[in-house]
């Protein structure tokens, strides 16, 4: 095989998939960027007017919903980590022959549509449910309080729906962990907690980074949990985008909001990855060749 | 002593987390046997199996399920093929534009669904080339699944020994034969779980589909609409079935493995540490 | 992805340059061509030999499941029935691109609410109806629906079902709720819901404040919206809903709500304590209508279907299932024999005492622009 043809091989492999992504991801993004600078209405058509005001308006008018989205998504990711780490740890090190079964149980919820699981939470958390009564007895919820249609319910829903995305990368990271390192820690008279803090946790950092990203990003843009579990004053930015697009048909504003959301997430992602010092999302960027 | 407690605490917390994950599914399954008096199925009235006897009685519901399964199946095939090729290129070759390609894979994963859905809708409406419907749904689903496939297959590829391929080449196999006889079988578990993941992502997607469905109704879209007027019991039955089918499929994989391990008489703990299906990420 | 190398910055720079350049081109291009065409020159839908296939878009669970099967076997028309209308605006947003190009997306018959029907008609998306093709329909239509304000001659709409928007009350938990104003009573804090459809909720709140919704100004609308907004801030209103308010009421999470009469009937089976109460200051009456969009591939089959559902015996089956107010005469007579409970239900066959204070559902005044502003203000309350 001559070298020229060999050089073409990777492009031939990449070609179909990347062309697909270019046509159906990059170009639509560009259309949306264009749309976000237009003015007009659906009925009369939208004209290009370089309306950068769409952006300033969007951000000033809906800053509350932006903050709320990041706040909810942040708390939900934190809870996912809190629940997901012990679970991943238990599956990786303690499950023995039940490992596959437990792993599967983590993935299984994907196969029952998440809408219907969210509706099931509505049943579990309604005002007269046993769960809420227990919470009232424990004084976690005030006696005249409720769980449904509050921010707590929305955060619980987000936590639940995106938990598998946290557990899987954590499990993969723990699974790859060289057990001899842990043994070495013990041989050096470290207590188990010390081994955990000094060896296990730092070594599984890439998994944590990937897990947090994979839960935070979808949670920040979600609007379904609010529709089903939220009440008033819990709308996240996703709800605003959806209502602007599909109810008011104000496409330019919706596009401007979408772009702002994407920009914030990308900037955060770059900073995060810089500080986390790993290339968590794509595995090692520079593996040996 | 501390150690004993710790070991069991982790396991206990893990099991608690499991319970939390499976609780809603249990609720869905229980309510598939409910016999509501009216149209609303969330208060326990009485036990019946009538909905299990005829779960496909509601035509629009059944149609939406068929649509969803077809969509997930086609998405899974196409996204797995496209994504696997990309993963091979990224791991096996050095070429100009590699980083740009990497970015193009990562950014869709970092984009909230609502943004992807909205931008695709702008694109479809403005160009007017594509008629909203099954086709546009398929385009969208393949698009958002590719990145996940690349990640899964890639992690599998990074871990395996290139010398096997070199050996095949030395023995005179053509590039294509090497791929078919050596590379593909080695990455098959990765490709399999990527296909499974893209199937799951597709069948579960609501947000992007809601924007780009045209007059096509998928299973999640049907549920969203039905929720307005009370979700029929049949939906619970079908959701439980979907879950059961996956459970049975996975269990059979696990049992087969156990059998294989008995036959080969390997040390059980070695096998126990190998996941049945290699996992995303 | 560890660091931003110089090469990557260059790449980004090149990308930005490319994007800006294409913008400059796009700016010269101007309009993206999404616009209405007016309705002066719309076609009249033709009837004739009804055969082939028919595609209907309706709201979820808005027909008896057997009706379509029976229609198919009686007429031989292969019918695709899609429950894709969850919300008037959402549906509009979804189909607008196709409709504006005179393409119905294969749909022969769509079902939307009065005001949306009018909006689509004004944009020229809807075909005129030929009354000579609709003999059964006009023979059996109830007189009160023959001449609505927005379409006095039923030029382009045929009612599918009607209903009233009013109060829904858990009489065991909130027996004294009789007026929309009672929903603002602090006693029921967090136990009240309203509908997310602006035209359902806002006019009722205005009427409760003594404003006549049919002559209300933009300012009146805004005042009512602000009042609702304050109730949201104080935690008085639990959420805004579609039909799903019923679920909250069954559970007792909600004791009073703005809701639809049709759900009032259906929910009695689940919980007899939930009652539809005509608000003291009046209720709003609306219809969902069948329309034939421009570009419908098979209008004869659409006419056939309209006539079919206007046969009292076929309509009776739908009424039994959906429990809304039927636009067809003679249904009650059919149902008296089959299901006397339904035939005597005051919400399905409302006597004058129930409807006398009702007004036809209204939209905000002014042009598209002003209406949008009101709609946006209401949406801001919803997503506050």
């Amino acid at each position: 095989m001559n070298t020229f043809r060999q050089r073409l091989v990777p492009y031939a492999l990449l070609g179909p998939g990347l062309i697909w992504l270019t046509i159906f991801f990059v170009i639509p993004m560009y259309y949306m960027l264009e749309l976000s600078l237009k003015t007009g209405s659906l009925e009369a058509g939208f004209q290009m007017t370089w309306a950068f005001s769409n952006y300033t308006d969007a951000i000033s008018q809906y800053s509350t919903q932006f903050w709320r989205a990041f706040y909810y998504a942040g708390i939900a990711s934190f809870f996912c980590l809190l629940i997901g780490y012990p679970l991943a740890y238990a599956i990786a090190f303690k499950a023995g022959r039940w490992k596959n079964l437990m792993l599967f149980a983590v993935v299984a919820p994907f196969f029952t549509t998440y809408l219907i699981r969210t509706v099931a939470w509505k049943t579990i958390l309604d005002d007269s449910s046993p769960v809420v009564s227990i919470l009232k007895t424990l004084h976690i919820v005030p006696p005249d309080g409720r769980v449904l249609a509050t921010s707590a319910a929305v955060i619980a829903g987000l936590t639940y729906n995106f938990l598998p995305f946290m557990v899987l990368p954590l499990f993969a990271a723990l699974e790859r962990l060289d057990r001899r390192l842990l043994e070495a820690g013990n041989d050096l008279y470290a207590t188990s907690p010390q081994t955990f803090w000094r060896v296990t946790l730092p070594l599984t950092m890439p998994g944590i980074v990937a897990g947090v990203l994979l839960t935070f990003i979808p949670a920040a843009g979600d609007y379904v949990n609010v529709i089903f579990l939220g009440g008033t004053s819990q709308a996240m930015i996703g709800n605003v985008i959806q209502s602007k697009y599909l109810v008011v048909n104000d496409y330019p504003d919706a596009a401007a909001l979408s772009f702002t959301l994407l920009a914030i997430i990308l900037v955060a992602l770059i900073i995060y990855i810089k500080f986390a010092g790993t290339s968590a999302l794509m595995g090692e960027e520079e593996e040996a060749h | 002593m501390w150690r004993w407690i710790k070991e069991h605490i982790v396991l206990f917390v893990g099991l608690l987390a499991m319970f939390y994950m499976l609780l809603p599914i249990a609720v869905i399954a229980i309510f598939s046997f409910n016999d509501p008096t009216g149209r609303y199925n969330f208060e326990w009235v009485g036990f019946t199996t009538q909905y299990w006897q005829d779960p496909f009685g509601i035509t629009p519901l059944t149609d939406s399920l068929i649509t969803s399964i077809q969509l997930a199946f086609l998405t899974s095939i196409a996204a797995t093929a496209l994504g696997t090729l990309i993963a091979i290129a990224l791991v096996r070759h050095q070429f100009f534009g590699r980083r740009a390609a990497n970015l193009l894979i990562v950014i869709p994963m970092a984009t909230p669904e609502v943004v992807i859905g909205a931008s695709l809708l702008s694109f479809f409406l403005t160009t007017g080339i594509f008629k909203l419907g099954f086709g546009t749904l398929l385009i969208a689903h393949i698009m958002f699944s590719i990145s996940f496939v690349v990640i899964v297959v890639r992690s599998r590829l990074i871990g395996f020994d290139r010398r096997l391929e070199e050996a095949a080449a030395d023995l005179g196999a053509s590039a294509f034969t090497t791929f078919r006889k050596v590379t593909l079988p080695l990455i098959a578990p990765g490709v399999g779980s990527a296909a499974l993941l893209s199937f799951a992502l597709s069948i579960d997607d609501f947000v992007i589909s809601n924007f780009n469905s045209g007059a096509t109704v998928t299973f999640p879209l049907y549920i969203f609409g039905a929720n307005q007027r009370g979700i029929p019991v049949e939906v619970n039955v079908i959701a439980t079935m979907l879950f059961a089918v996956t459970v049975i499929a996975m269990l059979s994989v696990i049992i087969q493995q156990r059998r294989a391990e008995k036959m080969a008489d390997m040390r059980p703990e070695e096998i126990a540490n190998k996941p049945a299906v290699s996992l995303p990420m | 992805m560890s660091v931003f190398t110089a090469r990557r910055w260059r790449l980004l720079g090149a990308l930005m340059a490319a994007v800006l350049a294409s913008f400059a081109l796009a700016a010269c291009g101007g309009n993206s061509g999404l616009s209405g065409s007016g309705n002066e020159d719309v076609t009249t839908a033709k009837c004739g030999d009804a055969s082939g296939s028919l595609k209907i878009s309706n709201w979820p669970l808005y027909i008896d499941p057997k009706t379509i099967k029976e229609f198919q076997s009686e007429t031989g028309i292969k019918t695709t029935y899609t429950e894709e209308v969850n919300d008037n605006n959402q549906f509009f947003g979804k189909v607008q691109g196709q409709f504006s190009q005179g393409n119905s997306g294969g749909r022969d018959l769509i079902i939307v609410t009065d005001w949306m029907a009018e909006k689509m008609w004004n944009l020229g998306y809807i075909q005129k109806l030929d009354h000579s093709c609709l003999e059964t329909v006009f023979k059996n239509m109830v007189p009160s629906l023959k001449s609505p304000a927005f379409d006095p001659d039923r030029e382009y709409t045929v009612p599918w079902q009607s209903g009233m928007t009013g109060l829904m009350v858990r009489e065991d938990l909130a027996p004294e709720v009789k007026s929309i104003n009672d929903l603002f009573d602090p006693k029921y804090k967090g136990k009240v819901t309203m509908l997310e459809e602006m035209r359902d909720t806002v006019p009722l709140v205005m009427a409760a404040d003594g404003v006549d919704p049919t002559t209300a100004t933009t300012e009146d609308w805004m005042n009512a919206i602000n009042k609702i907004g304050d109730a949201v801030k104080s935690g008085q209103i639990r959420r805004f809903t579609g039909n799903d308010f019923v679920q909250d009421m069954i559970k007792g999470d909600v004791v009073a709500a703005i809701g639809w009469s049709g759900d009032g009937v259906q929910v009695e089976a689940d919980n007899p304590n939930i009652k539809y109460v005509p608000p003291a200051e009046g209720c709003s009456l609306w219809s969902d209508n069948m329309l034939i969009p421009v570009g419908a591939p098979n209008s004869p089959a659409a006419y056939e279907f309209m006539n079919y559902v206007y046969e009292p015996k076929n309509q009776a089956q739908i009424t039994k299932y959906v429990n809304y107010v039927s636009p067809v005469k003679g249904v009650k007579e059919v149902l008296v024999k089959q299901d006397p409970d339904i035939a005597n239900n005051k919400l399905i066959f409302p006597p004058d005492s129930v409807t006398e204070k009702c007004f036809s559902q209204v939209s905000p005044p002014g042009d598209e622009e002003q209406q949008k502003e009101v709609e946006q203000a209401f949406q801001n309350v919803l997503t506050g």
Side-chain angles (χ1 to χ4, degrees):
Chain A
M1 235 207 271
N2 63 38
T3 52
F4 177 70
R5 265 185 61 190
Q6 251 186 327
R7 235 186 268 152
L8 283 183
V9 169
Y11 296 107
L13 291 171
L14 286 168
L18 288 191
I19 287 170
W20 194 277
L21 282 175
T22 307
I23 297 178
F24 298 119
F25 179 77
V26 180
I27 293 176
M29 283 290 161
Y30 163 75
Y31 268 103
M32 199 162 73
L33 195 58
E34 210 184 1
L35 194 55
S36 72
L37 296 169
K38 289 181 174 177
T39 42
S41 73
L42 187 54
E43 295 79 15
F46 298 107
Q47 282 77 33
M48 190 64 181
T49 55
W50 298 95
F52 286 102
S53 59
N54 285 347
Y55 281 86
T56 47
D57 292 354
I59 296 165
S60 62
Q61 207 178 346
Y62 296 106
S63 57
T64 325
Q65 286 83 349
F66 270 114
W67 281 119
R68 200 181 280 143
F70 294 135
Y71 170 69
Y72 286 179
I75 297 181
S77 307
F78 174 73
F79 278 122
C80 282
L81 184 59
L82 221 54
I83 300 166
Y85 205 102
L87 179 57
Y89 195 93
I91 298 174
F93 295 134
K94 309 279 175 208
R97 53 190 326 202
W98 300 109
K99 182 190 273 187
N100 288 336
L101 203 61
M102 282 179 84
L103 256 187
F104 161 65
V106 172
V107 189
F110 279 137
F111 290 90
T112 44
T113 306
Y114 93 110
L115 287 179
I116 201 180
R117 282 182 282 128
T118 312
V119 173
W121 277 111
K122 255 185 103 151
T123 306
I124 299 167
L125 294 176
D126 77 45
D127 295 12
S128 49
S129 69
V131 175
V132 175
S133 323
I134 293 168
L135 291 174
K136 282 180 181 171
T137 332
L138 296 171
H139 295 287
I140 297 172
V141 174
D144 60 340
R146 62 172 198 240
V147 177
L148 263 193
T150 64
S151 29
V154 177
I155 291 168
L158 290 170
T159 306
Y160 175 79
N161 278 319
F162 299 113
L163 187 56
F165 286 111
M166 176 67 86
V167 176
L168 295 180
L170 282 177
F171 168 79
L174 286 160
E175 176 83 359
R176 272 202 292 263
L177 206 62
D178 193 338
R179 279 147 213 256
R180 283 169 306 186
L181 289 168
L182 302 185
E183 284 159 23
N186 284 335
D187 292 346
L188 297 168
Y189 302 108
T191 58
S192 293
Q194 276 179 316
T195 311
F196 176 79
W197 285 110
R198 299 227 179 136
V199 182
T200 315
L201 200 62
L203 283 175
T204 50
M205 213 52 188
I208 295 177
V209 172
V212 170
L213 284 177
L214 285 174
T215 48
F216 181 86
I217 291 166
D222 184 83
Y223 64 84
V224 175
N225 285 283
V226 175
I227 291 178
F228 283 101
L229 303 169
T232 49
S233 317
Q234 271 112 47
M236 295 159 72
I237 195 64
N239 299 75
V240 178
I241 293 173
Q242 185 248 5
S243 123
K244 284 258 184 204
Y245 243 102
L246 296 176
V247 183
V248 192
N249 303 131
D250 183 349
Y251 295 171
D253 272 16
L257 284 166
S258 302
F259 251 95
T260 312
L261 176 63
L262 182 59
I264 293 173
I265 286 180
L266 285 181
V267 168
L269 185 76
I270 289 164
I271 293 171
Y272 185 66
I273 283 177
K274 246 189 145 116
F275 275 94
T278 77
S279 38
L281 269 179
M282 285 302 285
E284 301 317 304
E285 178 95 334
E286 302 298 335
E287 65 274 344
H289 282 276
Chain B
M1 179 66 203
W2 155 246
R3 193 165 202 171
W4 184 89
I5 291 174
K6 193 196 112 172
E7 290 210 355
H8 288 81
I9 274 198
V10 174
L11 194 58
F12 179 70
V13 172
L15 288 173
L16 214 60
M18 288 268 73
F19 172 75
Y20 169 69
M21 289 189 99
L22 298 176
L23 178 68
I25 295 174
V27 170
I28 292 164
I30 290 168
F31 277 88
S32 72
F33 293 101
N34 191 17
D35 190 9
T37 40
R39 201 168 284 186
Y40 298 97
N41 179 28
F42 45 73
E43 298 229 309
W44 187 255
V45 180
F47 183 87
T48 176
T49 53
Q50 75 177 79
Y51 297 99
W52 278 88
Q53 285 153 15
D54 183 23
F56 302 112
I58 304 176
T59 318
L61 169 60
T62 313
D63 290 349
S64 74
L65 181 70
I66 293 167
T67 305
S68 262
I69 290 173
Q70 285 173 335
L71 190 61
F73 188 72
L74 294 173
T75 299
S76 172
I77 290 173
T80 308
L82 295 174
T84 304
L85 293 180
I86 294 179
I88 291 171
L90 287 175
V91 176
R92 285 277 177 273
H93 298 272
Q94 278 295 25
F95 55 92
F96 172 76
R98 212 189 132 105
R99 295 213 156 151
N102 260 336
L103 270 182
L104 195 51
I105 305 292
V106 172
I107 290 181
M109 289 179 71
T111 309
E113 284 198 67
V114 82
V115 177
I116 293 182
S119 71
L120 272 169
L121 181 65
S122 319
F123 171 72
F124 290 142
L125 287 181
T126 322
T127 53
I129 306 167
F130 304 94
K131 218 178 101 198
L132 289 179
F134 190 85
T136 50
L137 282 174
L138 186 60
I139 287 172
H141 285 208
I142 292 172
M143 189 234 101
F144 72 74
S145 301
I146 288 177
S147 304
F148 284 94
V149 174
V150 173
I151 304 270
V152 176
V153 176
R154 199 189 142 112
S155 66
R156 178 84 195 174
L157 266 168
I158 287 172
F160 94 75
D161 198 341
R162 292 213 56 180
R163 281 170 305 188
L164 292 166
E165 286 172 335
E166 282 157 16
D170 291 345
L171 293 169
S174 70
F176 181 68
T177 312
T178 307
F179 177 77
R180 209 166 49 92
K181 297 249 163 153
V182 180
T183 316
L184 205 53
L186 280 166
I187 60 170
V191 175
S193 54
L196 197 68
L197 183 70
S198 46
F199 188 94
L201 287 172
S202 165
I203 210 164
D204 202 21
D205 178 74
F206 166 73
V207 175
I208 293 173
S209 306
N210 191 31
F211 277 95
N212 297 297
S213 59
T216 307
V217 179
T218 64
F219 186 54
L221 289 171
Y222 179 88
I223 293 173
F224 189 75
N227 181 54
Q228 289 293 313
R229 291 166 199 243
I231 293 179
V233 183
E234 285 86 345
V235 169
N236 289 51
V237 175
I238 289 171
T240 313
M241 277 182 181
L242 280 175
F243 183 73
V245 167
T246 18
V247 171
I248 291 163
M250 295 296 267
L251 279 177
S252 66
V253 168
I254 292 169
I255 288 165
Q256 283 230 310
Q257 272 210 326
R258 293 252 164 105
R259 234 187 245 146
E261 122 202 0
K262 278 209 186 80
M263 302 265 282
D265 203 14
M266 284 167 75
R267 298 210 334 267
E269 65 268 20
E270 249 179 51
I271 282 280
N273 289 333
K274 277 207 201 86
V277 184
S278 89
L279 267 175
M281 297 2 122
Chain C
M1 299 246 343
S2 46
V3 282
F4 252 63
T5 56
R7 199 170 81 201
R8 195 170 308 168
W9 283 117
R10 269 209 303 282
L11 190 80
L12 270 178
L15 264 176
M16 293 297 284
V19 165
L20 284 173
S22 49
F23 261 137
L25 286 174
C28 312
N31 194 335
S32 61
L34 293 170
S35 59
S37 56
N39 57 0
E40 298 75 42
D41 51 355
V42 292
T43 44
T44 301
K46 292 189 175 43
C47 53
D49 171 37
S51 59
S53 64
L54 169 70
K55 197 166 176 186
I56 304 172
S57 297
N58 202 348
W59 299 65
L61 302 168
Y62 212 15
I63 193 167
D64 185 285
K66 296 190 292 287
T67 303
I68 292 292
K69 283 183 199 144
E70 288 165 8
F71 173 74
Q72 290 201 108
S73 60
E74 276 178 48
T75 61
I77 297 169
K78 192 185 166 306
T79 309
T80 313
Y81 181 87
T82 315
E83 301 185 328
E84 59 164 332
V85 191
N86 286 326
D87 174 286
N88 286 302
N89 281 310
Q90 276 204 30
F91 182 65
F92 181 80
K94 219 155 89 163
V95 300
Q96 190 276 340
Q98 290 175 321
F99 280 20
S100 64
Q101 293 159 355
N103 168 1
S104 75
R107 301 172 183 91
D108 300 299
L109 198 65
I110 59 168
I111 292 162
V112 296
T113 311
D114 296 337
W115 62 272
M116 181 49 77
E118 185 180 17
K119 178 174 173 171
M120 287 183 169
W121 168 253
N122 289 338
L123 288 166
Y125 300 166
I126 304 300
Q127 299 195 56
K128 262 205 196 92
L129 299 176
D130 182 343
H131 284 213
S132 68
C133 309
L134 291 168
E135 277 180 23
T136 318
V137 168
F138 287 101
K139 189 178 79 196
N140 294 332
M141 193 187 292
V142 294
S144 61
L145 283 172
K146 281 202 165 146
S147 185
F150 75 97
D151 184 16
D153 303 329
R154 285 289 175 197
E155 215 178 351
Y156 58 96
T157 56
V158 170
W160 169 254
Q161 297 290 309
S162 303
M164 293 166 286
T165 311
L167 280 168
M168 296 285 291
V169 181
R170 269 290 289 257
E171 298 213 308
D172 52 334
L173 301 173
E176 55 280 349
V177 174
K178 297 278 179 264
S179 147
I180 297 288
N181 284 327
D182 296 334
L183 298 179
F184 294 92
D185 184 340
K187 193 158 48 172
Y188 307 121
K189 187 177 165 196
K191 300 255 178 210
V192 173
T193 63
M194 291 185 181
L195 292 169
E196 59 196 358
E197 184 88 67
M198 170 183 75
R199 289 166 183 83
D200 282 316
T201 292
V202 180
L204 286 180
V205 172
M206 285 195 287
D209 273 343
V211 177
D212 178 359
T214 50
T215 58
T217 61
T218 301
E219 199 188 346
D220 292 329
W221 281 78
M222 288 297 190
N223 288 340
I225 289 170
N226 289 335
K227 182 177 174 181
I228 297 165
D230 292 342
V232 165
K233 283 196 196 79
S234 71
Q236 179 72 19
I237 299 175
R238 181 185 172 108
R239 39 192 296 252
F240 290 90
T241 68
N243 302 63
D244 46 332
F245 70 91
V246 173
Q247 307 178 23
D248 295 345
M249 290 194 94
I250 294 171
K251 290 189 275 194
D253 295 358
V254 167
V255 297
I258 294 182
W260 291 302
S261 61
D263 298 315
V265 183
Q266 290 172 6
V267 80
E268 278 188 357
D270 293 276
N271 186 330
N273 291 314
I274 301 174
K275 288 272 186 289
Y276 171 84
V277 176
E281 40 305 297
C283 75
S284 99
L285 270 177
W286 47 265
S287 299
D288 288 331
N289 303 281
M290 297 183 264
L291 315 170
I292 302 180
V294 170
N298 192 353
S299 58
Y303 280 127
E304 185 76 21
F305 183 79
M306 290 185 193
N307 286 322
Y308 179 86
V309 295
Y310 267 71
E311 286 290 351
K313 72 172 172 46
N314 300 335
Q315 181 66 216
Q317 185 167 291
I318 297 174
T319 301
K320 248 196 315 198
Y321 185 82
V322 303
N323 302 156
Y324 276 84
V325 178
S326 172
V328 180
K329 278 190 307 214
V331 172
K332 192 169 179 170
E333 289 68 27
V334 176
L335 285 172
V336 163
K337 298 182 207 97
Q338 297 179 358
D339 194 338
D341 281 357
I342 297 231
N344 296 321
N345 190 307
K346 285 196 176 68
L347 294 179
I348 302 176
F349 300 100
D352 291 348
S353 61
V354 175
T355 55
E356 64 191 346
K357 285 192 186 160
C358 291
F359 49 88
S360 290
Q361 197 182 54
V362 287
S363 282
D367 58 13
E368 196 66 43
E369 190 75 21
Q370 287 167 294
Q371 292 196 359
K372 270 257 157 32
E373 268 170 46
V374 177
E375 177 76 74
Q376 187 59 61
F378 186 68
Q379 285 298 316
N380 288 346
V381 169
L382 256 53
T383 57

